[in-house]
Coordinates of all heavy atoms in Angstrom, one line a residue:
R1132 N -10.6 1.8 -25.5 CA -10.1 1.2 -26.7 C -8.7 1.7 -27.0 O -7.8 0.9 -27.3 CB -11.0 1.4 -27.8 CG -12.3 0.6 -27.7 CD -13.2 0.8 -28.8 NE -14.6 0.4 -28.5 CZ -15.5 0.4 -29.3 NH1 -15.4 0.8 -30.5 NH2 -16.7 0.0 -28.8
A1133 N -8.6 2.8 -26.8 CA -7.3 3.6 -27.1 C -6.1 3.1 -26.1 O -5.0 2.8 -26.5 CB -7.3 5.1 -27.1
L1134 N -6.5 2.9 -25.0 CA -5.7 2.5 -23.8 C -5.2 1.0 -24.2 O -4.0 0.7 -24.2 CB -6.3 2.5 -22.5 CG -5.4 1.9 -21.4 CD1 -4.1 2.7 -21.3 CD2 -6.2 2.1 -20.0
R1135 N -6.2 0.2 -24.6 CA -5.9 -1.2 -24.8 C -4.9 -1.3 -26.1 O -4.0 -1.9 -26.0 CB -7.1 -1.9 -25.2 CG -6.9 -3.4 -25.5 CD -8.2 -4.2 -25.6 NE -8.8 -4.3 -24.3 CZ -9.9 -5.0 -24.1 NH1 -10.6 -5.4 -25.1 NH2 -10.3 -5.0 -22.9
A1136 N -5.3 -0.6 -27.1 CA -4.3 -0.5 -28.3 C -3.0 -0.1 -28.0 O -1.9 -0.5 -28.4 CB -5.0 0.4 -29.3
A1137 N -2.8 1.0 -27.1 CA -1.5 1.4 -26.7 C -0.7 0.3 -25.9 O 0.4 0.1 -26.1 CB -1.5 2.7 -25.9
A1138 N -1.4 -0.3 -25.0 CA -0.9 -1.3 -24.0 C -0.4 -2.6 -24.9 O 0.5 -3.2 -24.4 CB -1.8 -1.7 -23.0
Q1139 N -1.3 -2.9 -25.9 CA -0.9 -4.1 -26.6 C 0.4 -4.0 -27.2 O 1.1 -5.0 -27.5 CB -1.9 -4.5 -27.6 CG -3.3 -5.1 -26.9 CD -4.4 -5.2 -28.0 OE1 -4.5 -4.6 -29.0 NE2 -5.3 -6.1 -27.5
G1140 N 0.9 -2.9 -27.7 CA 2.1 -2.7 -28.3 C 3.4 -2.6 -27.3 O 4.6 -2.6 -27.7
A1141 N 3.1 -2.4 -26.0 CA 4.1 -2.2 -25.1 C 4.6 -3.5 -24.4 O 3.8 -4.5 -24.2 CB 3.5 -1.3 -24.0
L1142 N 5.8 -3.6 -24.1 CA 6.4 -4.7 -23.4 C 5.9 -4.7 -22.0 O 5.7 -5.7 -21.2 CB 7.9 -4.9 -23.4 CG 8.5 -5.1 -25.0 CD1 10.0 -5.0 -25.0 CD2 7.9 -6.5 -25.5
Q1143 N 6.0 -3.5 -21.3 CA 5.7 -3.2 -20.0 C 4.9 -1.9 -19.9 O 5.2 -1.1 -20.7 CB 6.9 -3.1 -19.1 CG 7.7 -4.4 -19.0 CD 8.9 -4.3 -18.1 OE1 9.4 -3.2 -17.8 NE2 9.4 -5.4 -17.8
W1144 N 4.1 -1.7 -18.8 CA 3.5 -0.5 -18.6 C 3.1 -0.4 -17.1 O 3.0 -1.2 -16.3 CB 2.2 -0.3 -19.5 CG 1.2 -1.4 -19.5 CD1 1.4 -2.6 -20.3 CD2 0.0 -1.6 -18.9 NE1 0.3 -3.4 -20.1 CE2 -0.6 -2.8 -19.3 CE3 -0.7 -0.7 -18.0 CZ2 -1.8 -3.3 -18.7 CZ3 -1.9 -1.2 -17.6 CH2 -2.4 -2.5 -18.0
V1145 N 3.0 1.0 -16.7 CA 2.8 1.3 -15.4 C 1.5 2.0 -15.3 O 1.2 3.0 -16.1 CB 3.9 2.0 -14.8 CG1 3.5 2.6 -13.4 CG2 5.1 1.4 -14.8
V1146 N 0.6 1.9 -14.2 CA -0.5 2.6 -14.1 C -0.4 3.4 -12.8 O -0.2 2.9 -11.7 CB -1.8 1.8 -14.0 CG1 -3.0 2.6 -13.6 CG2 -2.0 0.9 -15.2
F1147 N -0.6 4.8 -12.8 CA -0.6 5.6 -11.6 C -2.0 5.9 -11.3 O -2.7 6.4 -12.2 CB 0.2 6.9 -11.9 CG 1.7 6.7 -12.1 CD1 2.3 6.5 -13.3 CD2 2.6 6.5 -10.9 CE1 3.6 6.3 -13.4 CE2 3.8 6.3 -11.1 CZ 4.4 6.2 -12.4
S1148 N -2.4 5.6 -10.1 CA -3.7 5.9 -9.7 C -3.9 6.3 -8.2 O -2.9 6.3 -7.6 CB -4.7 4.6 -9.9 OG -4.3 3.8 -8.9
G1149 N -5.1 6.8 -8.0 CA -5.3 7.2 -6.5 C -5.5 6.0 -5.7 O -5.3 4.9 -6.2
S1150 N -6.0 6.2 -4.4 CA -6.1 5.0 -3.6 C -7.3 4.2 -3.8 O -7.6 3.3 -3.1 CB -6.1 5.6 -2.1 OG -7.1 6.5 -2.0
G1151 N -8.2 4.8 -4.7 CA -9.5 4.1 -4.9 C -9.4 2.7 -5.3 O -10.3 1.8 -5.0
M1152 N -8.4 2.4 -6.2 CA -8.4 1.0 -6.6 C -7.9 0.1 -5.5 O -8.6 -1.0 -5.4 CB -7.2 0.9 -7.8 CG -7.7 1.4 -9.2 SD -6.3 1.4 -10.4 CE -5.8 -0.3 -10.4
S1153 N -7.1 0.6 -4.7 CA -6.7 -0.3 -3.5 C -7.8 -0.4 -2.4 O -8.1 -1.4 -1.9 CB -5.5 0.2 -2.8 OG -4.5 0.3 -3.7
A1154 N -8.5 0.7 -2.2 CA -9.6 0.7 -1.3 C -10.7 -0.2 -1.7 O -11.3 -1.1 -0.8 CB -10.1 2.1 -1.2
A1155 N -11.0 -0.2 -3.0 CA -12.1 -1.1 -3.6 C -11.7 -2.7 -3.4 O -12.6 -3.4 -3.5 CB -12.4 -0.8 -5.0
S1156 N -10.4 -2.8 -3.3 CA -9.9 -4.2 -3.1 C -9.9 -4.7 -1.6 O -9.5 -5.8 -1.4 CB -8.6 -4.4 -3.8 OG -8.6 -4.1 -5.1
G1157 N -10.2 -3.7 -0.8 CA -10.1 -4.1 0.7 C -8.8 -3.5 1.4 O -8.6 -3.9 2.5
M1158 N -8.0 -2.8 0.8 CA -6.8 -2.2 1.3 C -7.0 -1.0 2.1 O -8.0 -0.2 1.6 CB -5.7 -2.1 0.2 CG -5.3 -3.3 -0.5 SD -4.4 -4.5 0.5 CE -2.8 -3.5 0.8
S1159 N -6.3 -0.6 3.1 CA -6.3 0.5 3.8 C -5.7 1.6 2.9 O -5.0 1.4 2.1 CB -5.5 0.5 5.0 OG -6.1 -0.3 6.1
T1160 N -6.2 2.8 3.3 CA -5.6 4.0 2.5 C -4.9 5.0 3.6 O -5.2 4.7 4.8 CB -6.7 4.8 1.8 OG1 -7.6 5.4 2.6 CG2 -7.5 3.9 0.8
F1161 N -4.1 5.9 3.1 CA -3.5 6.7 4.1 C -4.5 7.7 4.8 O -4.3 8.2 5.8 CB -2.4 7.5 3.4 CG -1.1 6.9 3.3 CD1 -0.7 6.3 2.1 CD2 -0.3 6.7 4.4 CE1 0.5 5.6 2.0 CE2 1.0 6.0 4.3 CZ 1.2 5.4 3.1
S1162 N -5.6 8.0 4.0 CA -6.6 9.0 4.6 C -7.6 8.3 5.4 O -8.4 9.0 6.2 CB -7.3 9.6 3.4 OG -8.0 8.8 2.6
K1163 N -7.7 7.0 5.4 CA -8.8 6.4 6.3 C -8.4 6.3 7.8 O -7.5 5.8 8.2 CB -8.9 4.9 5.9 CG -10.1 4.2 6.6 CD -10.3 2.8 6.1 CE -11.2 2.1 6.8 NZ -11.4 0.7 6.3
K1164 N -9.2 7.0 8.6 CA -9.0 7.0 10.1 C -9.2 5.6 10.6 O -10.2 4.9 10.2 CB -10.0 8.0 10.8 CG -9.8 9.4 10.3 CD -8.6 10.0 10.9 CE -8.4 11.5 10.6 NZ -7.1 11.9 10.6
G1165 N -8.3 5.1 11.4 CA -8.4 3.8 12.1 C -7.8 2.7 11.1 O -7.8 1.6 11.6
G1166 N -7.4 3.1 10.0 CA -6.8 2.1 9.1 C -5.5 1.7 9.5 O -4.9 2.1 10.5
L1167 N -4.9 0.8 8.7 CA -3.5 0.2 8.9 C -2.5 1.3 9.2 O -1.7 1.3 10.1 CB -3.1 -0.7 7.7 CG -1.8 -1.3 7.7 CD1 -1.6 -2.2 8.9 CD2 -1.4 -1.8 6.5
Y1168 N -2.4 2.3 8.2 CA -1.5 3.4 8.4 C -1.7 4.3 9.6 O -0.6 4.7 10.2 CB -1.4 4.2 7.0 CG -1.1 3.3 5.8 CD1 -2.2 3.0 4.9 CD2 0.0 2.7 5.6 CE1 -2.0 2.2 3.8 CE2 0.3 2.0 4.4 CZ -0.7 1.7 3.5 OH -0.5 0.9 2.6
D1169 N -2.9 4.6 9.8 CA -3.2 5.5 10.9 C -2.8 4.8 12.3 O -2.3 5.4 13.1 CB -4.7 5.8 10.9 CG -5.1 6.9 11.8 OD1 -4.3 7.8 11.9 OD2 -6.0 6.6 12.6
R1170 N -3.1 3.5 12.4 CA -2.9 2.7 13.5 C -1.3 2.6 13.7 O -0.7 2.9 14.9 CB -3.4 1.4 13.6 CG -5.0 1.4 13.7 CD -5.3 0.0 13.9 NE -4.9 -1.1 13.1 CZ -5.4 -1.4 11.8 NH1 -6.5 -0.8 11.3 NH2 -4.9 -2.4 11.2
A1171 N -0.6 2.4 12.7 CA 0.9 2.2 12.7 C 1.6 3.5 13.1 O 2.5 3.6 13.8 CB 1.4 1.6 11.4
R1172 N 1.1 4.5 12.4 CA 1.6 6.0 12.6 C 1.5 6.4 14.1 O 2.4 6.8 14.7 CB 0.9 7.0 11.7 CG 1.3 8.4 11.9 CD 0.4 9.4 11.1 NE -0.9 9.4 11.7 CZ -1.4 9.9 12.8 NH1 -0.4 10.6 13.6 NH2 -2.6 9.8 13.1
K1173 N 0.4 6.1 14.7 CA 0.1 6.5 16.1 C 0.9 5.5 17.0 O 1.5 6.0 17.9 CB -1.4 6.2 16.4 CG -2.3 7.3 15.8 CD -3.7 7.2 16.1 CE -4.6 8.1 15.5 NZ -6.0 7.9 15.7
R1174 N 1.0 4.3 16.7 CA 1.8 3.3 17.5 C 3.2 3.7 17.6 O 3.9 3.6 18.5 CB 1.5 1.9 17.0 CG 2.2 0.9 17.8 CD 1.9 -0.5 17.3 NE 2.6 -0.8 15.9 CZ 1.8 -1.2 14.9 NH1 0.5 -1.4 15.0 NH2 2.4 -1.4 13.8
C1175 N 3.7 4.2 16.4 CA 5.1 4.6 16.2 C 5.4 6.0 16.5 O 6.6 6.5 16.3 CB 5.6 4.1 14.8 SG 5.4 2.3 14.5
K1176 N 4.4 6.7 16.9 CA 4.5 8.3 17.2 C 5.2 9.0 16.0 O 6.1 9.7 16.2 CB 5.4 8.3 18.5 CG 4.6 7.8 19.6 CD 5.4 7.9 21.0 CE 4.8 7.4 22.0 NZ 4.7 6.0 22.2
L1177 N 4.6 8.8 14.7 CA 5.0 9.5 13.5 C 4.1 10.6 13.2 O 2.8 10.5 13.4 CB 5.2 8.5 12.4 CG 6.2 7.3 12.7 CD1 6.1 6.3 11.5 CD2 7.6 7.8 12.7
K1178 N 4.6 11.5 12.6 CA 3.8 12.8 12.1 C 3.1 12.3 11.0 O 1.8 12.6 10.6 CB 4.6 14.0 11.9 CG 5.1 14.6 13.1 CD 5.9 15.9 12.8 CE 6.4 16.5 14.0 NZ 7.3 17.7 13.8
E1179 N 3.7 11.6 10.0 CA 3.1 11.2 8.7 C 3.2 9.8 8.4 O 4.3 9.1 8.7 CB 3.7 12.0 7.5 CG 3.6 13.5 7.7 CD 2.3 13.9 7.3 OE1 1.5 13.3 6.5 OE2 1.8 15.0 7.8
G1180 N 2.1 9.2 8.0 CA 2.1 7.7 7.5 C 3.3 7.3 6.5 O 3.8 6.2 6.7
M1181 N 3.5 8.3 5.7 CA 4.6 8.0 4.6 C 6.0 7.6 5.3 O 6.8 7.0 4.7 CB 4.8 9.1 3.7 CG 3.5 9.2 2.8 SD 3.3 7.8 1.8 CE 4.5 7.9 0.6
Q1182 N 6.1 8.1 6.4 CA 7.4 7.9 7.2 C 7.7 6.4 7.5 O 8.8 5.9 7.6 CB 7.4 8.6 8.5 CG 7.6 10.1 8.4 CD 7.4 10.8 9.8 OE1 6.5 11.0 10.2 NE2 8.7 11.2 10.3
L1183 N 6.6 5.6 7.5 CA 6.7 4.1 7.7 C 7.5 3.5 6.6 O 8.0 2.4 6.7 CB 5.2 3.5 7.8 CG 4.4 3.9 8.8 CD1 2.9 3.6 8.6 CD2 4.9 3.3 10.2
F1184 N 7.5 4.1 5.4 CA 8.3 3.6 4.2 C 9.6 4.1 4.1 O 10.3 3.9 3.0 CB 7.4 3.8 3.0 CG 6.1 3.1 2.9 CD1 5.0 3.8 3.4 CD2 6.0 1.8 2.7 CE1 3.8 3.2 3.4 CE2 4.8 1.0 2.7 CZ 3.6 1.8 3.1
T1185 N 10.1 4.8 5.0 CA 11.5 5.3 5.0 C 12.6 4.4 5.5 O 12.4 3.8 6.4 CB 11.6 6.8 5.4 OG1 11.4 6.6 6.9 CG2 10.6 7.8 5.0
F1186 N 13.8 4.6 5.0 CA 15.0 3.9 5.5 C 15.2 4.3 6.9 O 15.6 3.6 7.8 CB 16.2 3.9 4.6 CG 17.3 3.1 5.1 CD1 17.2 1.7 5.0 CD2 18.4 3.6 5.6 CE1 18.3 0.9 5.4 CE2 19.5 2.8 5.9 CZ 19.4 1.5 6.0
A1187 N 15.0 5.7 7.1 CA 15.3 6.2 8.5 C 14.5 5.6 9.4 O 14.8 5.2 10.6 CB 15.1 7.7 8.4
F1188 N 13.1 5.2 9.2 CA 12.3 4.7 10.2 C 12.7 3.2 10.3 O 12.7 2.8 11.5 CB 10.8 4.6 9.5 CG 9.9 3.8 10.4 CD1 9.4 4.2 11.7 CD2 9.4 2.7 10.0 CE1 8.6 3.5 12.5 CE2 8.5 1.8 10.7 CZ 8.1 2.3 12.0
F1189 N 13.2 2.5 9.4 CA 13.6 1.1 9.4 C 14.8 1.0 10.4 O 15.0 0.3 11.2 CB 13.9 0.6 8.0 CG 14.7 -0.7 8.1 CD1 14.0 -1.9 8.5 CD2 16.0 -0.8 7.8 CE1 14.7 -3.1 8.6 CE2 16.7 -2.0 7.9 CZ 16.0 -3.2 8.2
E1190 N 15.8 2.1 10.2 CA 17.0 2.1 11.0 C 16.7 2.4 12.3 O 17.3 1.8 13.2 CB 18.0 3.2 10.5 CG 18.8 2.8 9.2 CD 19.8 3.8 8.9 OE1 19.6 5.0 8.9 OE2 21.0 3.4 8.6
R1191 N 15.9 3.2 12.6 CA 15.6 3.6 14.0 C 14.7 2.6 14.8 O 14.9 2.4 16.0 CB 14.7 5.0 14.0 CG 15.1 6.0 15.0 CD 14.3 7.4 14.8 NE 13.0 7.2 14.3 CZ 12.7 7.6 13.0 NH1 13.5 8.1 12.1 NH2 11.3 7.5 12.5
N1192 N 13.8 1.9 14.1 CA 13.0 1.0 14.9 C 12.6 -0.2 13.9 O 11.5 -0.4 13.4 CB 11.7 1.8 15.2 CG 10.9 1.2 16.3 OD1 11.1 -0.1 16.5 ND2 10.0 1.9 16.9
R1193 N 13.6 -1.1 13.8 CA 13.4 -2.2 13.0 C 12.3 -3.2 13.4 O 11.6 -3.7 12.6 CB 14.7 -3.1 12.9 CG 15.8 -2.4 12.2 CD 17.1 -3.1 12.2 NE 18.1 -2.2 11.6 CZ 19.0 -2.5 10.7 NH1 18.9 -3.9 10.2 NH2 19.8 -1.9 10.2
R1194 N 12.1 -3.4 14.7 CA 10.9 -4.3 15.1 C 9.7 -3.7 14.7 O 8.8 -4.5 14.1 CB 11.1 -4.4 16.6 CG 9.9 -5.3 17.2 CD 10.0 -5.6 18.5 NE 11.2 -6.7 18.6 CZ 11.8 -7.1 19.7 NH1 11.5 -6.5 20.8 NH2 12.7 -8.0 19.6
E1195 N 9.4 -2.5 14.9 CA 8.1 -1.7 14.5 C 8.0 -1.8 13.0 O 6.7 -2.0 12.5 CB 8.0 -0.4 15.1 CG 7.6 -0.3 16.5 CD 6.3 -1.0 16.8 OE1 5.4 -0.9 15.9 OE2 6.1 -1.6 17.8
C1196 N 9.0 -1.5 12.3 CA 8.9 -1.5 10.8 C 8.5 -3.0 10.2 O 7.7 -3.0 9.5 CB 10.4 -1.1 10.3 SG 10.3 -1.1 8.5
C1197 N 9.1 -4.0 10.9 CA 8.8 -5.5 10.6 C 7.4 -5.7 11.0 O 6.7 -6.4 10.1 CB 9.8 -6.4 11.1 SG 11.4 -6.3 10.4
R1198 N 6.9 -5.2 11.9 CA 5.6 -5.4 12.4 C 4.6 -4.7 11.5 O 3.6 -5.4 11.1 CB 5.3 -4.8 13.8 CG 4.0 -5.0 14.3 CD 3.8 -4.5 15.8 NE 2.4 -4.6 16.2 CZ 1.9 -3.9 17.3 NH1 2.7 -3.3 18.1 NH2 0.6 -4.0 17.6
F1199 N 4.9 -3.5 11.1 CA 4.0 -2.8 10.1 C 4.1 -3.6 8.7 O 2.9 -3.7 8.0 CB 4.6 -1.4 9.9 CG 3.9 -0.7 8.7 CD1 2.6 -0.4 8.6 CD2 4.8 -0.5 7.6 CE1 2.0 0.2 7.6 CE2 4.2 0.1 6.5 CZ 2.8 0.4 6.4
L1200 N 5.2 -4.0 8.2 CA 5.3 -4.6 6.9 C 4.6 -6.0 7.1 O 3.9 -6.4 6.0 CB 6.7 -4.9 6.5 CG 7.4 -3.6 6.2 CD1 8.9 -3.8 5.9 CD2 6.8 -2.8 5.0
A1201 N 4.6 -6.7 8.2 CA 3.8 -7.9 8.4 C 2.3 -7.7 8.2 O 1.5 -8.5 7.7 CB 4.3 -8.6 9.6
D1202 N 1.9 -6.6 8.9 CA 0.5 -6.2 8.9 C 0.0 -5.8 7.5 O -1.0 -6.3 7.1 CB 0.2 -5.0 9.8 CG 0.3 -5.5 11.2 OD1 0.2 -6.6 11.6 OD2 0.4 -4.5 12.1
L1203 N 0.9 -5.2 6.7 CA 0.6 -4.7 5.4 C 0.5 -6.1 4.5 O -0.4 -6.1 3.7 CB 1.6 -3.8 4.9 CG 1.6 -3.4 3.4 CD1 0.3 -2.5 3.3 CD2 2.8 -2.4 3.1
Y1204 N 1.4 -7.0 4.8 CA 1.5 -8.1 3.9 C 0.2 -9.0 4.2 O -0.5 -9.4 3.3 CB 2.6 -9.1 4.3 CG 2.7 -10.3 3.6 CD1 3.0 -10.4 2.2 CD2 2.6 -11.5 4.3 CE1 3.1 -11.6 1.5 CE2 2.6 -12.8 3.6 CZ 3.0 -12.8 2.2 OH 2.9 -14.0 1.6
S1205 N -0.3 -9.1 5.4 CA -1.5 -9.7 5.8 C -2.7 -9.1 5.2 O -3.6 -9.9 4.6 CB -1.8 -9.8 7.3 OG -0.7 -10.6 8.0
E1206 N -2.8 -7.8 5.2 CA -3.8 -7.2 4.5 C -3.9 -7.4 3.1 O -4.8 -7.6 2.4 CB -3.8 -5.7 4.8 CG -5.0 -4.9 4.4 CD -5.0 -3.4 4.8 OE1 -5.2 -3.2 6.0 OE2 -4.7 -2.5 3.9
T1207 N -2.7 -7.5 2.4 CA -2.7 -7.7 1.0 C -3.1 -9.2 0.6 O -3.7 -9.3 -0.3 CB -1.1 -7.6 0.5 OG1 -0.7 -6.2 0.8 CG2 -0.9 -7.8 -0.9
L1208 N -2.8 -10.1 1.5 CA -3.3 -11.4 1.3 C -4.8 -11.5 1.3 O -5.4 -12.3 0.6 CB -2.8 -12.4 2.3 CG -1.2 -12.6 2.1 CD1 -0.7 -13.6 3.3 CD2 -0.8 -13.2 0.8
R1209 N -5.4 -10.7 2.2 CA -6.9 -10.8 2.2 C -7.5 -9.9 1.0 O -8.8 -10.1 0.8 CB -7.3 -10.0 3.4 CG -7.0 -11.1 4.8 CD -7.7 -10.5 6.1 NE -7.2 -9.0 6.4 CZ -6.2 -8.7 7.1 NH1 -5.4 -9.8 7.6 NH2 -5.9 -7.5 7.4
A1210 N -6.9 -9.1 0.5 CA -7.4 -8.1 -0.5 C -7.7 -9.0 -1.8 O -7.1 -10.0 -2.1 CB -6.4 -7.1 -0.9
R1211 N -8.6 -8.4 -2.6 CA -9.0 -9.2 -3.9 C -9.0 -8.2 -5.0 O -9.4 -7.0 -4.7 CB -10.4 -9.8 -3.7 CG -10.5 -10.9 -2.8 CD -9.7 -12.1 -3.4 NE -9.5 -13.2 -2.4 CZ -8.4 -13.5 -1.8 NH1 -7.3 -12.9 -2.0 NH2 -8.3 -14.5 -0.9
P1212 N -8.7 -8.5 -6.2 CA -8.7 -7.5 -7.3 C -10.1 -6.8 -7.5 O -11.1 -7.5 -7.4 CB -8.3 -8.3 -8.5 CG -7.7 -9.5 -8.0 CD -8.3 -9.8 -6.6
S1213 N -10.1 -5.6 -7.8 CA -11.2 -4.9 -8.0 C -11.6 -4.9 -9.4 O -10.8 -5.5 -10.3 CB -11.2 -3.5 -7.6 OG -10.3 -2.7 -8.5
R1214 N -12.8 -4.5 -9.9 CA -13.1 -4.4 -11.2 C -12.2 -3.7 -12.1 O -11.9 -4.0 -13.2 CB -14.6 -3.9 -11.2 CG -15.7 -4.8 -10.8 CD -17.0 -4.2 -10.7 NE -17.5 -4.0 -12.2 CZ -18.5 -3.3 -12.6 NH1 -19.2 -2.8 -11.6 NH2 -18.9 -3.3 -13.7
T1215 N -11.6 -2.6 -11.6 CA -10.6 -1.8 -12.2 C -9.4 -2.6 -12.4 O -8.8 -2.6 -13.5 CB -10.4 -0.5 -11.4 OG1 -11.5 0.1 -11.2 CG2 -9.3 0.4 -12.3
H1216 N -8.8 -3.4 -11.4 CA -7.8 -4.2 -11.7 C -8.0 -5.3 -12.8 O -7.2 -5.5 -13.7 CB -7.5 -5.0 -10.4 CG -6.8 -4.2 -9.3 ND1 -7.5 -3.9 -8.1 CD2 -5.7 -3.5 -9.2 CE1 -6.8 -3.2 -7.3 NE2 -5.8 -2.9 -8.0
Q1217 N -9.2 -5.8 -12.8 CA -9.5 -6.8 -13.7 C -9.5 -6.2 -15.3 O -9.1 -6.8 -16.1 CB -10.9 -7.3 -13.4 CG -11.0 -8.3 -12.2 CD -10.2 -9.5 -12.3 OE1 -9.8 -10.0 -13.4 NE2 -9.8 -10.0 -11.2
A1218 N -10.1 -5.0 -15.3 CA -10.1 -4.3 -16.5 C -8.8 -4.0 -17.0 O -8.5 -4.2 -18.2 CB -10.9 -3.0 -16.5
L1219 N -7.8 -3.7 -16.2 CA -6.5 -3.5 -16.6 C -5.8 -4.6 -17.1 O -4.9 -4.7 -18.0 CB -5.8 -2.7 -15.4 CG -6.1 -1.3 -15.2 CD1 -5.4 -0.8 -14.0 CD2 -5.6 -0.4 -16.4
A1220 N -6.1 -5.8 -16.4 CA -5.4 -7.1 -16.7 C -6.0 -7.6 -17.9 O -5.2 -8.2 -18.7 CB -5.8 -8.0 -15.5
D1221 N -7.2 -7.3 -18.3 CA -7.8 -7.7 -19.6 C -7.2 -7.0 -20.7 O -7.0 -7.3 -21.8 CB -9.4 -7.7 -19.6 CG -9.9 -8.5 -18.7 OD1 -9.3 -9.6 -18.1 OD2 -11.1 -8.4 -18.3

C-alpha cells in the first residue's frame, strides 16, 4: 500500500530488482548455464557475459553483437509479464 501511494504521486518511477522477475517471465539470466548469455559468451570467447553490452564488444565484432541482440530481442518477444510485473503495473 505504501508503494502504491508513493507511486501514484510520481510522474515516473524505476524499479531495481534481481533477475527473478525476468526469469519468471521466461527470460534468460546471466547465472543460468546454457542460457542466452552463457551461449553468446562462449560463442564470442568472452570472460564475462556483461561484455556483450559494451561498446568495445560492438566495435570489435559487430556481426556477433547484432546476432546476440537479435537473439535477445527474439527471447523478449516470447516472454510474458510475470505476476510481479502485473502487480507493479497495477
Side-chain angles (χ1 to χ4, degrees):
R1132 293 181 196 180
L1134 176 60
R1135 180 176 288 180
Q1139 285 176 339
L1142 296 175
Q1143 297 178 346
W1144 48 282
V1145 175
V1146 174
F1147 293 95
S1148 72
S1150 62
M1152 283 178 58
S1153 299
S1156 297
M1158 297 290 296
S1159 294
T1160 66
F1161 279 104
S1162 59
K1163 183 179 178 185
K1164 296 290 182 198
L1167 175 68
Y1168 303 105
D1169 190 47
R1170 291 190 315 268
R1172 181 189 59 78
K1173 288 176 182 176
R1174 184 176 65 236
C1175 298
K1176 298 178 178 73
L1177 300 173
K1178 289 182 182 180
E1179 299 289 330
M1181 290 297 288
Q1182 291 175 278
L1183 294 162
F1184 295 97
T1185 65
F1186 186 69
F1188 174 68
F1189 172 74
E1190 279 188 314
R1191 220 176 30 255
N1192 201 338
R1193 290 177 188 229
R1194 179 171 287 165
E1195 280 299 325
C1196 184
C1197 289
R1198 180 179 174 188
F1199 166 70
L1200 293 174
D1202 289 346
L1203 180 59
Y1204 180 71
S1205 294
E1206 187 173 287
T1207 303
L1208 290 177
R1209 290 188 303 273
R1211 294 291 171 249
S1213 68
R1214 291 176 65 192
T1215 306
H1216 290 116
Q1217 293 295 337
L1219 289 170
D1221 290 343

